[in-house]
Amino acid sequence: MGKQSYHHGDLRRALLDAAAEVIAESGPVALSLRDLARRAGVSHAAPAHHFGDKAGLLTALATEGYERLYAELQASGGEGFLGLGVAYVRFALANPAHFEVMFQPSLFHTDEPVLSAARERARAALYAGAGELTGEAGQADAERLAGLAGWSMAHGFAMLKLSGSMPQSHATPDQEARAVLGQLAAPRPA
Amino acid sequence: MGKQSYHHGDLRRALLDAAAEVIAESGPVALSLRDLARRAGVSHAAPAHHFGDKAGLLTALATEGYERLYAELQASGGEGFLGLGVAYVRFALANPAHFEVMFQPSLFHTDEPVLSAARERARAALYAGAGELTGEAGQADAERLAGLAGWSMAHGFAMLKLSGSMPQSHATPDQEARAVLGQLAAPRPA
DNA sequence: TGTACATCAGTGAACGCGCGTTCACTGATGTAC
DNA sequence: TGTACATCAGTGAACGCGCGTTCACTGATGTAC
């Protein structure tokens, strides 16, 4: 604790972490740069040095979110749709603040190139799992629909879980996600 | 325009409408009671009369959201899971601000009895469609999973659509929702 | 090894602003008789 | 039909607060020679 030197060391990191904490606890409405500075033990004008303004900070947070999502999706490589979906949910539950900000474009600078690149990378990794859901390869339209269906399901599951809307379950989140997402690929009774 | 009388007529309604407009445009972060009063052409202290505070107003908005969702679900009666899902999406796209607030409990008074009742009613109507998704009736667990899967999918589709994350489509939202949600019930190729 | 200088991160005082909340009030509406 | 009174909706002035932003500054770090 306490800063040993005039310089913080990694103020940027500290501010992003503090922001994620505040948002996870109280939502983006409660966020203020002055409060983050206070939490990081730094003067209230310091954040502007790193992010310019509030939207700048949230742009950085969203970018980091897409990078982490991409990493999580990659780490599930080869496990097909179900693996990707479970990874998507795991990311969202582990990074609720990032996840929330990523899908609220009014909060950040949507035209930031670094952000766009990170988002595009994550999206590509996500769509890679769509083909597997359709029996016949190359059926572009069927593939598109199956991809959207899978993404919608994983996204909705994570959202509902995070907002506390889901009934409690005895299973771990991973198990529950797997069971629910599995409904999409499961054969239906005649 | 301009108020003909000292009394507004239906200030409560006007404030809720203004709030929905602001939130749909700029998110809940941009909401302030003074701004709503301004939009309604009324003194800045007036909103407190009807809602107490900002969370009170958002509680009313969330409650109205659950009532409208319930009505929309009822109106699709008898069409089974697909009808319910499409109705869910239709509600969300028609009432983006309500939808957004309903699932951010940090914004309103979650313990309000009127709110809880409305939410419970909507939830019951939603779950009524779950049974249809499983072949054998009375399979409580399979029914639960299928219900969560369907809800997740409809919710996620609406969320992604509203946040502008979905690729553009030539189809109407209703058609698109039907095509995507249909993936859950469609027979899979062997 | 030492000195000079440039760069960078964070400071702290100052500003103006919009906000939520309070409160005594006033104008309009509704009801009892 | 008229009068008296209660209730209610909205007013407007006042308050204190936390915020974002600006700016001249200072202390620390890194680099050239």
Side-chain angles (χ1 to χ4, degrees):
Chain A
M1 49 198 57
K3 28 178 204 175
Q4 309 89 316
S5 84
Y6 189 91
H7 285 172
H8 180 282
D10 200 352
L11 180 54
R12 191 188 143 87
R13 180 75 279 170
L15 290 172
L16 286 174
D17 289 346
E21 196 179 323
V22 170
I23 293 171
E25 271 175 21
S26 321
V29 175
L31 196 72
S32 97
L33 292 182
R34 281 178 108 109
D35 180 44
L36 296 184
R38 237 173 275 130
R39 285 165 183 258
V42 109
S43 97
H44 66 261
H49 241 268
H50 289 272
F51 302 106
D53 56 11
K54 199 196 283 194
L57 184 142
L58 291 175
T59 306
L61 200 72
T63 303
E64 184 172 79
Y66 281 111
E67 287 163 355
R68 290 187 185 177
L69 172 57
Y70 176 73
E72 193 77 60
L73 294 177
Q74 287 298 100
S76 80
E79 289 183 55
F81 160 71
L82 205 49
L84 275 181
V86 172
Y88 190 94
V89 172
R90 190 186 300 127
F91 159 76
L93 299 186
N95 303 272
H98 292 77
F99 188 65
E100 185 171 350
V101 173
M102 285 157 71
F103 294 96
Q104 264 180 272
S106 63
L107 293 177
F108 54 86
H109 299 131
T110 46
D111 51 351
E112 242 277 326
V114 182
L115 170 87
S116 303
R119 183 176 45 205
E120 216 34 64
R121 228 174 299 126
R123 182 161 314 192
L126 195 58
Y127 270 64
E132 184 231 346
L133 280 174
T134 70
E136 303 128 76
Q139 293 243 5
D141 201 58
E143 214 170 293
R144 206 190 100 253
L145 284 178
L148 290 182
W151 185 18
S152 293
M153 202 153 152
H155 192 84
F157 181 84
M159 275 279 168
L160 291 170
K161 195 87 188 162
L162 281 174
S163 70
S165 304
M166 287 244 164
Q168 283 171 320
S169 163
H170 305 300
T172 67
D174 255 52
Q175 290 172 332
E176 204 189 350
R178 192 169 291 272
V180 171
L181 299 184
Q183 298 291 308
L184 185 54
R188 322 232 42 87
Chain B
M1 42 197 66
K3 31 182 204 173
Q4 310 89 316
S5 83
Y6 190 90
H7 284 173
H8 179 282
D10 200 351
L11 181 54
R12 190 188 143 87
R13 179 76 282 173
L15 290 172
L16 286 174
D17 288 346
E21 195 179 324
V22 171
I23 292 172
E25 270 174 24
S26 322
V29 174
L31 196 73
S32 95
L33 292 182
R34 281 178 107 110
D35 180 44
L36 295 184
R38 238 174 275 130
R39 284 165 182 258
V42 108
S43 97
H44 66 260
H49 241 268
H50 289 273
F51 301 106
D53 56 11
K54 198 195 283 193
L57 184 141
L58 291 175
T59 306
L61 199 71
T63 303
E64 184 172 78
Y66 281 112
E67 288 164 354
R68 289 187 186 176
L69 172 58
Y70 175 75
E72 192 77 59
L73 294 177
Q74 287 298 100
S76 81
E79 288 183 54
F81 160 71
L82 206 49
L84 275 180
V86 173
Y88 190 95
V89 171
R90 189 185 302 126
F91 159 76
L93 299 187
N95 304 271
H98 291 77
F99 189 64
E100 184 170 350
V101 173
M102 285 157 71
F103 295 95
Q104 265 179 273
S106 64
L107 293 177
F108 55 84
H109 298 131
T110 46
D111 50 351
E112 242 276 328
V114 181
L115 170 86
S116 304
R119 182 176 47 206
E120 217 33 65
R121 227 174 301 126
R123 182 163 312 194
L126 195 58
Y127 270 65
E132 183 232 347
L133 279 174
T134 71
E136 302 128 78
Q139 293 243 6
D141 201 58
E143 214 170 293
R144 206 190 100 254
L145 284 179
L148 290 182
W151 186 17
S152 293
M153 202 152 152
H155 192 84
F157 181 84
M159 275 278 168
L160 291 170
K161 194 90 189 159
L162 282 174
S163 71
S165 304
M166 287 245 165
Q168 283 172 319
S169 164
H170 305 298
T172 67
D174 255 53
Q175 288 172 332
E176 203 189 351
R178 195 169 289 272
V180 171
L181 299 184
Q183 298 290 308
L184 186 54
R188 321 233 42 88

